[in-house]
Short mmCIF file of all heavy atoms in Angstrom, two decimals:
data_model
loop_
_atom_site.label_atom_id
_atom_site.label_comp_id
_atom_site.label_asym_id
_atom_site.label_seq_id
_atom_site.Cartn_x
_atom_site.Cartn_y
_atom_site.Cartn_z
N LEU A 1 27.48 -133.60 1.81
CA LEU A 1 27.11 -133.18 0.46
C LEU A 1 27.58 -131.75 0.19
O LEU A 1 28.11 -131.47 -0.90
CB LEU A 1 25.60 -133.25 0.28
CG LEU A 1 25.04 -132.96 -1.12
CD1 LEU A 1 25.64 -133.89 -2.17
CD2 LEU A 1 23.52 -133.09 -1.12
N ALA A 2 27.47 -130.89 1.17
CA ALA A 2 27.90 -129.49 1.00
C ALA A 2 29.44 -129.44 0.85
O ALA A 2 29.96 -128.68 0.04
CB ALA A 2 27.48 -128.66 2.23
N ALA A 3 30.16 -130.27 1.61
CA ALA A 3 31.62 -130.32 1.52
C ALA A 3 32.05 -130.77 0.12
O ALA A 3 33.01 -130.25 -0.43
CB ALA A 3 32.16 -131.27 2.56
N LYS A 4 31.32 -131.71 -0.40
CA LYS A 4 31.61 -132.21 -1.77
C LYS A 4 31.48 -131.10 -2.80
O LYS A 4 32.21 -131.06 -3.79
CB LYS A 4 30.62 -133.35 -2.08
CG LYS A 4 30.69 -133.90 -3.51
CD LYS A 4 29.62 -134.96 -3.74
CE LYS A 4 29.58 -135.38 -5.19
NZ LYS A 4 28.49 -136.37 -5.44
N LYS A 5 30.55 -130.17 -2.55
CA LYS A 5 30.30 -129.07 -3.48
C LYS A 5 31.01 -127.77 -3.07
O LYS A 5 30.74 -126.71 -3.64
CB LYS A 5 28.79 -128.84 -3.58
CG LYS A 5 28.03 -129.99 -4.24
CD LYS A 5 26.53 -129.70 -4.29
CE LYS A 5 25.82 -130.73 -5.12
NZ LYS A 5 26.18 -130.67 -6.56
N ASN A 6 31.87 -127.86 -2.06
CA ASN A 6 32.60 -126.69 -1.56
C ASN A 6 31.67 -125.59 -1.10
O ASN A 6 31.92 -124.39 -1.34
CB ASN A 6 33.56 -126.16 -2.64
CG ASN A 6 34.65 -127.13 -2.98
OD1 ASN A 6 35.23 -127.76 -2.10
ND2 ASN A 6 34.94 -127.29 -4.26
N ILE A 7 30.57 -125.97 -0.45
CA ILE A 7 29.64 -125.00 0.09
C ILE A 7 29.78 -124.95 1.61
O ILE A 7 29.79 -125.99 2.27
CB ILE A 7 28.17 -125.38 -0.29
CG1 ILE A 7 27.98 -125.23 -1.79
CG2 ILE A 7 27.17 -124.52 0.47
CD1 ILE A 7 26.66 -125.74 -2.30
N VAL A 8 29.92 -123.74 2.15
CA VAL A 8 30.06 -123.58 3.60
C VAL A 8 28.67 -123.38 4.21
O VAL A 8 27.95 -122.43 3.86
CB VAL A 8 30.97 -122.37 3.92
CG1 VAL A 8 31.06 -122.19 5.43
CG2 VAL A 8 32.32 -122.53 3.32
N LEU A 9 28.30 -124.27 5.10
CA LEU A 9 26.96 -124.21 5.75
C LEU A 9 27.03 -123.28 6.93
O LEU A 9 28.07 -123.13 7.59
CB LEU A 9 26.54 -125.59 6.19
CG LEU A 9 26.30 -126.63 5.07
CD1 LEU A 9 25.95 -127.97 5.69
CD2 LEU A 9 25.20 -126.18 4.15
N PRO A 10 25.89 -122.68 7.31
CA PRO A 10 25.84 -121.85 8.51
C PRO A 10 26.02 -122.72 9.78
O PRO A 10 25.70 -123.92 9.74
CB PRO A 10 24.45 -121.23 8.47
CG PRO A 10 23.64 -122.17 7.65
CD PRO A 10 24.60 -122.73 6.62
N THR A 11 26.52 -122.13 10.83
CA THR A 11 26.73 -122.87 12.08
C THR A 11 25.71 -122.46 13.13
O THR A 11 25.74 -122.99 14.26
CB THR A 11 28.16 -122.61 12.62
OG1 THR A 11 28.34 -121.22 12.79
CG2 THR A 11 29.20 -123.15 11.67
N ASP A 12 24.82 -121.57 12.80
CA ASP A 12 23.78 -121.13 13.74
C ASP A 12 22.41 -121.47 13.21
O ASP A 12 22.27 -121.89 12.04
CB ASP A 12 23.86 -119.62 13.98
CG ASP A 12 23.60 -118.85 12.68
OD1 ASP A 12 22.43 -118.54 12.38
OD2 ASP A 12 24.58 -118.59 11.93
N ILE A 13 21.39 -121.36 14.04
CA ILE A 13 20.02 -121.75 13.61
C ILE A 13 19.22 -120.56 13.08
O ILE A 13 18.02 -120.71 12.78
CB ILE A 13 19.27 -122.43 14.78
CG1 ILE A 13 19.11 -121.47 15.96
CG2 ILE A 13 19.97 -123.71 15.19
CD1 ILE A 13 18.24 -122.05 17.10
N GLY A 14 19.85 -119.43 12.93
CA GLY A 14 19.21 -118.28 12.29
C GLY A 14 17.92 -117.84 13.00
O GLY A 14 17.85 -117.71 14.23
N GLY A 15 16.87 -117.67 12.21
CA GLY A 15 15.58 -117.17 12.73
C GLY A 15 14.88 -118.12 13.67
O GLY A 15 13.93 -117.73 14.37
N HIS A 16 15.31 -119.37 13.72
CA HIS A 16 14.70 -120.34 14.63
C HIS A 16 15.06 -120.08 16.10
O HIS A 16 14.44 -120.63 17.01
CB HIS A 16 15.17 -121.77 14.29
CG HIS A 16 14.78 -122.18 12.90
ND1 HIS A 16 13.51 -122.61 12.57
CD2 HIS A 16 15.50 -122.26 11.74
CE1 HIS A 16 13.46 -122.92 11.29
NE2 HIS A 16 14.65 -122.72 10.77
N LYS A 17 16.03 -119.21 16.33
CA LYS A 17 16.45 -118.91 17.70
C LYS A 17 15.31 -118.31 18.52
O LYS A 17 15.23 -118.59 19.72
CB LYS A 17 17.64 -117.95 17.68
CG LYS A 17 18.28 -117.77 19.06
CD LYS A 17 19.49 -116.85 18.99
CE LYS A 17 20.16 -116.75 20.34
NZ LYS A 17 19.30 -116.31 21.44
N SER A 18 14.46 -117.53 17.89
CA SER A 18 13.35 -116.92 18.63
C SER A 18 12.40 -117.99 19.16
O SER A 18 11.87 -117.86 20.26
CB SER A 18 12.59 -115.95 17.71
OG SER A 18 12.06 -116.60 16.60
N THR A 19 12.19 -119.10 18.40
CA THR A 19 11.35 -120.19 18.84
C THR A 19 11.96 -120.88 20.04
O THR A 19 11.29 -121.20 21.03
CB THR A 19 11.12 -121.21 17.71
OG1 THR A 19 10.58 -120.55 16.58
CG2 THR A 19 10.19 -122.32 18.14
N VAL A 20 13.27 -121.11 19.97
CA VAL A 20 13.99 -121.73 21.07
C VAL A 20 13.90 -120.87 22.32
O VAL A 20 13.63 -121.37 23.42
CB VAL A 20 15.48 -121.99 20.71
CG1 VAL A 20 16.26 -122.52 21.89
CG2 VAL A 20 15.58 -122.96 19.55
N ASP A 21 14.10 -119.59 22.15
CA ASP A 21 14.06 -118.66 23.29
C ASP A 21 12.66 -118.64 23.95
O ASP A 21 12.52 -118.66 25.17
CB ASP A 21 14.43 -117.25 22.85
CG ASP A 21 15.91 -117.13 22.49
OD1 ASP A 21 16.69 -118.00 22.87
OD2 ASP A 21 16.26 -116.15 21.77
N ASP A 22 11.62 -118.61 23.08
CA ASP A 22 10.26 -118.59 23.60
C ASP A 22 9.91 -119.86 24.38
O ASP A 22 9.33 -119.82 25.47
CB ASP A 22 9.25 -118.40 22.47
CG ASP A 22 9.31 -116.99 21.87
OD1 ASP A 22 9.87 -116.08 22.53
OD2 ASP A 22 8.80 -116.81 20.76
N LEU A 23 10.28 -121.02 23.78
CA LEU A 23 9.96 -122.29 24.41
C LEU A 23 10.76 -122.55 25.67
O LEU A 23 10.29 -123.25 26.60
CB LEU A 23 10.17 -123.44 23.42
CG LEU A 23 9.10 -123.54 22.30
CD1 LEU A 23 9.53 -124.59 21.28
CD2 LEU A 23 7.75 -123.89 22.86
N SER A 24 11.96 -122.00 25.73
CA SER A 24 12.81 -122.21 26.90
C SER A 24 12.23 -121.55 28.17
O SER A 24 12.61 -121.91 29.29
CB SER A 24 14.21 -121.69 26.64
OG SER A 24 14.20 -120.29 26.48
N LYS A 25 11.31 -120.63 27.97
CA LYS A 25 10.66 -119.96 29.13
C LYS A 25 9.48 -120.73 29.66
O LYS A 25 8.92 -120.38 30.69
CB LYS A 25 10.21 -118.54 28.71
CG LYS A 25 11.34 -117.65 28.22
CD LYS A 25 10.80 -116.36 27.60
CE LYS A 25 11.91 -115.52 27.00
NZ LYS A 25 11.39 -114.34 26.27
N LEU A 26 9.07 -121.78 28.94
CA LEU A 26 7.89 -122.56 29.33
C LEU A 26 8.27 -123.90 29.91
O LEU A 26 9.42 -124.36 29.78
CB LEU A 26 6.98 -122.76 28.12
CG LEU A 26 6.51 -121.50 27.38
CD1 LEU A 26 5.75 -121.90 26.11
CD2 LEU A 26 5.66 -120.62 28.29
N SER A 27 7.29 -124.56 30.51
CA SER A 27 7.53 -125.92 31.03
C SER A 27 6.19 -126.65 31.13
O SER A 27 5.13 -126.04 31.08
CB SER A 27 8.23 -125.88 32.40
OG SER A 27 7.45 -125.16 33.33
N GLY A 28 6.27 -127.99 31.32
CA GLY A 28 5.07 -128.76 31.51
C GLY A 28 4.12 -128.71 30.35
O GLY A 28 4.51 -128.72 29.18
N ALA A 29 2.80 -128.64 30.66
CA ALA A 29 1.77 -128.69 29.65
C ALA A 29 1.84 -127.48 28.70
O ALA A 29 1.55 -127.62 27.50
CB ALA A 29 0.39 -128.73 30.32
N ASP A 30 2.22 -126.33 29.24
CA ASP A 30 2.34 -125.13 28.40
C ASP A 30 3.43 -125.33 27.35
O ASP A 30 3.28 -124.97 26.18
CB ASP A 30 2.68 -123.90 29.25
CG ASP A 30 1.50 -123.44 30.10
OD1 ASP A 30 0.36 -123.76 29.72
OD2 ASP A 30 1.72 -122.78 31.13
N PHE A 31 4.52 -125.91 27.80
CA PHE A 31 5.62 -126.18 26.85
C PHE A 31 5.15 -127.18 25.79
O PHE A 31 5.39 -126.96 24.60
CB PHE A 31 6.85 -126.75 27.57
CG PHE A 31 7.92 -127.20 26.63
CD1 PHE A 31 8.87 -126.31 26.16
CD2 PHE A 31 7.99 -128.52 26.18
CE1 PHE A 31 9.85 -126.70 25.26
CE2 PHE A 31 8.94 -128.93 25.28
CZ PHE A 31 9.89 -128.03 24.81
N ASP A 32 4.54 -128.28 26.24
CA ASP A 32 4.11 -129.32 25.29
C ASP A 32 3.21 -128.77 24.19
O ASP A 32 3.39 -129.05 22.99
CB ASP A 32 3.37 -130.43 26.03
CG ASP A 32 4.28 -131.24 26.93
OD1 ASP A 32 5.50 -131.26 26.66
OD2 ASP A 32 3.78 -131.87 27.89
N LYS A 33 2.27 -127.93 24.57
CA LYS A 33 1.31 -127.41 23.60
C LYS A 33 2.02 -126.52 22.58
O LYS A 33 1.78 -126.63 21.36
CB LYS A 33 0.24 -126.58 24.33
CG LYS A 33 -0.87 -126.10 23.43
CD LYS A 33 -1.98 -125.41 24.23
CE LYS A 33 -3.12 -124.96 23.31
NZ LYS A 33 -4.20 -124.29 24.08
N LYS A 34 2.92 -125.66 23.04
CA LYS A 34 3.63 -124.74 22.14
C LYS A 34 4.65 -125.49 21.27
O LYS A 34 4.82 -125.21 20.09
CB LYS A 34 4.37 -123.66 22.96
CG LYS A 34 3.45 -122.69 23.67
CD LYS A 34 2.78 -121.73 22.69
CE LYS A 34 1.98 -120.65 23.42
NZ LYS A 34 1.30 -119.72 22.51
N TYR A 35 5.32 -126.46 21.87
CA TYR A 35 6.31 -127.25 21.15
C TYR A 35 5.65 -128.04 20.01
O TYR A 35 6.12 -128.05 18.88
CB TYR A 35 7.07 -128.17 22.08
CG TYR A 35 7.97 -129.15 21.37
CD1 TYR A 35 9.18 -128.74 20.79
CD2 TYR A 35 7.61 -130.52 21.25
CE1 TYR A 35 10.01 -129.64 20.14
CE2 TYR A 35 8.44 -131.42 20.61
CZ TYR A 35 9.63 -130.98 20.04
OH TYR A 35 10.44 -131.87 19.39
N VAL A 36 4.56 -128.70 20.34
CA VAL A 36 3.83 -129.52 19.35
C VAL A 36 3.32 -128.64 18.23
O VAL A 36 3.45 -128.97 17.02
CB VAL A 36 2.68 -130.29 20.02
CG1 VAL A 36 1.77 -130.92 18.97
CG2 VAL A 36 3.25 -131.38 20.95
N ALA A 37 2.75 -127.50 18.57
CA ALA A 37 2.26 -126.56 17.53
C ALA A 37 3.41 -126.08 16.61
O ALA A 37 3.25 -126.01 15.39
CB ALA A 37 1.60 -125.36 18.19
N ALA A 38 4.55 -125.80 17.23
CA ALA A 38 5.72 -125.35 16.45
C ALA A 38 6.19 -126.48 15.53
O ALA A 38 6.55 -126.22 14.36
CB ALA A 38 6.84 -124.93 17.39
N MET A 39 6.18 -127.70 16.01
CA MET A 39 6.62 -128.84 15.19
C MET A 39 5.69 -129.13 14.03
O MET A 39 6.12 -129.46 12.93
CB MET A 39 6.75 -130.08 16.06
CG MET A 39 7.95 -130.08 17.03
SD MET A 39 9.54 -130.01 16.18
CE MET A 39 9.92 -128.28 16.27
N VAL A 40 4.41 -128.93 14.24
CA VAL A 40 3.44 -129.12 13.16
C VAL A 40 3.69 -128.08 12.08
O VAL A 40 3.79 -128.41 10.88
CB VAL A 40 1.98 -128.98 13.68
CG1 VAL A 40 1.01 -128.93 12.49
CG2 VAL A 40 1.63 -130.18 14.57
N ASP A 41 3.84 -126.82 12.47
CA ASP A 41 4.08 -125.75 11.51
C ASP A 41 5.39 -125.96 10.77
O ASP A 41 5.46 -125.82 9.54
CB ASP A 41 4.10 -124.39 12.22
CG ASP A 41 2.72 -123.98 12.70
OD1 ASP A 41 1.72 -124.54 12.22
OD2 ASP A 41 2.65 -123.10 13.59
N ASP A 42 6.44 -126.28 11.52
CA ASP A 42 7.77 -126.46 10.93
C ASP A 42 7.78 -127.60 9.91
O ASP A 42 8.35 -127.47 8.81
CB ASP A 42 8.81 -126.77 11.99
CG ASP A 42 9.23 -125.52 12.77
OD1 ASP A 42 8.78 -124.43 12.41
OD2 ASP A 42 9.98 -125.66 13.75
N HIS A 43 7.13 -128.71 10.25
CA HIS A 43 7.16 -129.86 9.35
C HIS A 43 6.25 -129.69 8.14
O HIS A 43 6.52 -130.27 7.07
CB HIS A 43 6.85 -131.14 10.14
CG HIS A 43 8.04 -131.62 10.91
ND1 HIS A 43 8.36 -131.17 12.16
CD2 HIS A 43 9.03 -132.50 10.57
CE1 HIS A 43 9.46 -131.74 12.59
NE2 HIS A 43 9.90 -132.55 11.65
N LYS A 44 5.22 -128.89 8.27
CA LYS A 44 4.42 -128.55 7.05
C LYS A 44 5.29 -127.80 6.09
O LYS A 44 5.27 -128.08 4.86
CB LYS A 44 3.21 -127.73 7.47
CG LYS A 44 2.05 -128.51 8.08
CD LYS A 44 0.89 -127.58 8.42
CE LYS A 44 -0.29 -128.37 9.04
NZ LYS A 44 -1.38 -127.44 9.45
N GLU A 45 6.03 -126.82 6.60
CA GLU A 45 6.92 -126.04 5.78
C GLU A 45 8.03 -126.91 5.18
O GLU A 45 8.39 -126.78 4.00
CB GLU A 45 7.53 -124.89 6.56
CG GLU A 45 6.52 -123.82 6.96
CD GLU A 45 7.15 -122.72 7.82
OE1 GLU A 45 8.40 -122.73 7.98
OE2 GLU A 45 6.41 -121.84 8.29
N ASP A 46 8.58 -127.80 6.02
CA ASP A 46 9.67 -128.69 5.56
C ASP A 46 9.22 -129.59 4.41
O ASP A 46 9.95 -129.77 3.44
CB ASP A 46 10.19 -129.53 6.72
CG ASP A 46 10.94 -128.75 7.75
OD1 ASP A 46 11.32 -127.59 7.46
OD2 ASP A 46 11.15 -129.26 8.88
#
């Protein structure tokens, strides 16, 4: 759709990188809890 309108989309995830960096340091149950919480917040906003 962007190509049709001659709009150049970003190739990076912008401010979401901090979430990726934080979660990449976790594992197991700690990761699950933080990931699920992040997904709830993100999808409410979406």
Side-chain angles (χ1 to χ4, degrees):
L1 185 57
K4 175 183 173 183
K5 292 179 171 293
N6 295 318
I7 292 173
V8 178
L9 296 177
T11 56
D12 62 89
I13 61 175
H16 298 282
K17 189 177 184 303
S18 60
T19 303
V20 175
D21 290 343
D22 289 343
L23 287 172
S24 65
K25 300 170 186 174
L26 304 174
S27 59
D30 289 337
F31 173 87
D32 291 337
K33 187 175 181 180
K34 293 287 186 180
Y35 172 74
V36 169
M39 288 297 98
V40 170
D41 290 342
D42 284 354
H43 281 85
K44 282 180 180 177
E45 291 178 6
D46 290 345

